[in-house]
Amino acid sequence: MKKTSKWISTFIAVAMLGLMATGCSGKQDSNVIKLGANLEMTGGNATFGKSASNGANLAIKQVNANGGVLGKQLSLVVADNKSEAAEAANAMQKLITQDKVVAVIAPIASSSVIAGAQVNNDNKVLAISPTASNPKVTVDPTTNKVRDYLFRAAFIDPFQGSVMANFATKTLKAKTAAIYIDNSSDYAKGLGQFFKETFIKNGGTIAVEEAYLAKDTDFKATLTKIKAANVDVVFVPGYYQEVGMIAKQAREIGLAMPLLGGDGWDSAKLPEIAGAQALNNTFFANHYSPDDNSPAIKTFVDAYKAEYKETPDAFAALAYDATMMVIESIKRANGVDTVKIKDELAKTKDYNAVSGLITLNETHDAVKSAVIIEMKDGKQTFKEKINP
């Protein structure tokens, strides 16, 4: 009897551990397919995360209204990475191991996507970033191998940087430039590098290179050095918070030449920080413009405005595109096997997205067009489209 009692006690303990493990992983509903979103809902890039969350939720709402996927409804589990790389890795771990999502809309910032890359790979669950554009997001620089479970819906920095350098030399006829980067950002450093290479290749001269750090607030000393260089354009590939202050302070000390940037400028907060007049004669590369007359863009913009009462920025559009790309991959995989979903996403070719035709190449990067946005009295205006 003692042996029997001991065996029964052991069996009960093991069973209880099993129940506890099931409880920690979250109850699974067979009629719902969970997608995750690891986004910057608070912190320095919070406006990006909010827009991306809105775009992803709109995609899911529309698909659910049309019957869902494979007879099931979709749900979106959002985890706040607080605009920090370490938190992004934790958020990715939670979404995959606790919430049991079958795919993840990855962070906006390149450094945060990279921070969670090992989690995706180890658990064989894909993540697709709407906007992360540093080449290291999809190709591990230590091995030069493609990260099997990481994708993006955005063009990469070599394209974005070269687009702005070509715009500077060919449209603005600039001969000299200054580069002013956020030295704490892989995104900004990458853009600066590729702008420099193309600008020099086009016959231009980089007269001065300066750097700042995220959360800096006083830029006038460095801007005074840039002013002394008397350049034709200044390339500032940072995020909207610092860029807004840089633009404001640049105009205050008499820097009147064009300021150029990348998609990190795309926020309604930018003119609030800089002031509308300070942003006149500024241009940045972006993934789409709500003013583009494409039917797909008009349909998306109208639906987004009806849902959120505001005009969607590129982060909303690209998150919508990324979510739809994942949903199409689930359909083609005919189920929620995460390896099959990943394999189907990798086959994406000429997908008619809001931000244009998207083909994922062998390194899981989106081959697509870019647009140049000009700021006029605090408003974004469509300047021109650049094809790859």
Side-chain angles (χ1 to χ4, degrees):
M1 287 294 293
K2 288 182 179 179
K3 288 183 178 180
T4 303
S5 298
K6 184 176 180 181
W7 181 87
I8 292 172
S9 298
T10 302
F11 175 81
I12 292 171
V14 171
M16 288 299 293
L17 284 172
L19 287 171
M20 288 172 65
T22 302
C24 289
S25 65
K27 183 179 179 181
Q28 300 303 304
D29 186 340
S30 61
N31 293 316
V32 175
I33 297 174
K34 288 184 182 180
L35 302 183
N38 179 354
L39 296 172
E40 293 83 339
M41 302 304 293
T42 58
N45 295 329
T47 67
F48 297 161
K50 179 186 175 186
S51 292
S53 175
N54 286 349
N57 272 305
L58 179 61
I60 287 173
K61 181 176 181 178
Q62 291 177 345
V63 171
N64 283 342
N66 286 312
V69 178
L70 306 176
K72 299 180 180 183
Q73 292 284 284
L74 296 163
S75 70
L76 186 71
V77 183
V78 179
D80 179 15
N81 62 44
K82 303 176 184 177
S83 303
E84 297 176 9
E87 290 292 340
N90 294 335
M92 195 68 77
Q93 186 75 32
K94 173 188 176 294
L95 287 169
I96 293 175
T97 63
Q98 294 184 34
D99 297 313
K100 303 297 184 182
V101 301
V102 301
V104 180
I105 305 305
I108 298 301
S110 296
S111 55
S112 291
V113 181
I114 293 168
Q118 195 63 46
V119 178
N120 295 112
N121 188 71
D122 289 348
N123 288 279
K124 293 182 167 53
V125 175
L126 76 85
I128 176 169
S129 174
T131 59
S133 52
N134 189 287
K136 290 184 283 186
V137 165
T138 53
V139 178
D140 186 338
T142 60
T143 63
N144 287 322
K145 291 183 178 180
V146 177
R147 301 184 197 268
D148 207 22
Y149 286 84
L150 273 180
F151 300 81
R152 69 177 110 223
F155 47 65
I156 61 175
D157 288 342
F159 178 58
Q160 184 175 188
S162 64
V163 162
M164 290 314 297
N166 286 330
F167 176 74
T169 55
K170 296 176 182 179
T171 300
L172 300 181
K173 308 301 181 184
K175 301 295 184 184
T176 58
I179 298 176
Y180 193 19
I181 66 167
D182 175 355
N183 214 27
S184 57
S185 164
D186 289 336
Y187 160 80
K189 288 187 283 189
L191 272 183
Q193 173 190 339
F194 299 118
F195 176 91
K196 178 180 178 179
E197 289 174 1
T198 304
F199 194 83
I200 292 172
K201 182 180 177 182
N202 289 352
T205 299
I206 304 298
V208 58
E209 296 181 61
E210 296 289 346
Y212 63 91
L213 296 175
K215 300 182 181 179
D216 282 352
T217 57
D218 187 352
F219 306 93
K220 285 190 175 179
T222 304
L223 288 169
T224 299
K225 294 180 185 177
I226 292 173
K227 182 181 179 182
N230 195 30
V231 294
D232 296 325
V233 295
V234 182
F235 185 53
V236 192
Y239 292 118
Y240 66 92
Q241 285 192 318
E242 289 81 16
V243 168
M245 289 183 280
I246 289 169
K248 184 176 187 295
Q249 293 173 29
R251 300 317 191 200
E252 286 174 349
I253 67 167
L255 274 171
M257 75 282 287
L259 304 180
L260 313 179
D263 57 350
W265 286 36
D266 188 14
S267 172
K269 292 287 185 183
L270 180 63
E272 293 179 19
I273 297 168
Q277 294 304 308
L279 291 172
N280 286 337
N281 202 25
T282 67
F283 308 84
F284 64 94
N286 212 353
H287 305 267
Y288 109 119
S289 167
D291 297 327
D292 195 322
N293 58 10
S294 155
I297 289 178
K298 187 178 187 319
T299 299
F300 168 71
V301 170
D302 289 346
Y304 191 95
K305 283 182 174 179
E307 187 72 21
Y308 301 111
K309 315 304 179 191
E310 62 185 21
T311 300
D313 58 19
F315 299 92
L318 286 175
Y320 180 93
D321 287 346
T323 305
M324 285 297 199
M325 289 164 68
V326 169
I327 292 169
E328 289 300 315
S329 299
I330 293 172
K331 290 179 184 177
R332 295 197 300 270
N334 197 33
V336 293
D337 182 307
T338 58
V339 177
K340 289 182 180 178
I341 296 170
K342 179 266 297 183
D343 289 342
E344 289 301 325
L345 182 61
K347 297 175 185 176
T348 300
K349 181 176 176 60
D350 292 334
Y351 176 69
N352 191 17
V354 170
S355 58
L357 284 179
I358 296 177
T359 292
L360 294 180
N361 63 15
E362 65 279 0
T363 53
H364 298 174
D365 304 324
V367 179
K368 59 192 293 191
S369 60
V371 297
I372 304 294
I373 301 294
E374 179 178 3
M375 297 298 295
K376 290 184 177 180
D377 297 325
K379 304 291 185 183
Q380 292 188 19
T381 62
F382 176 73
K383 178 71 175 176
E384 60 185 76
K385 182 175 284 187
I386 311 293
N387 292 318

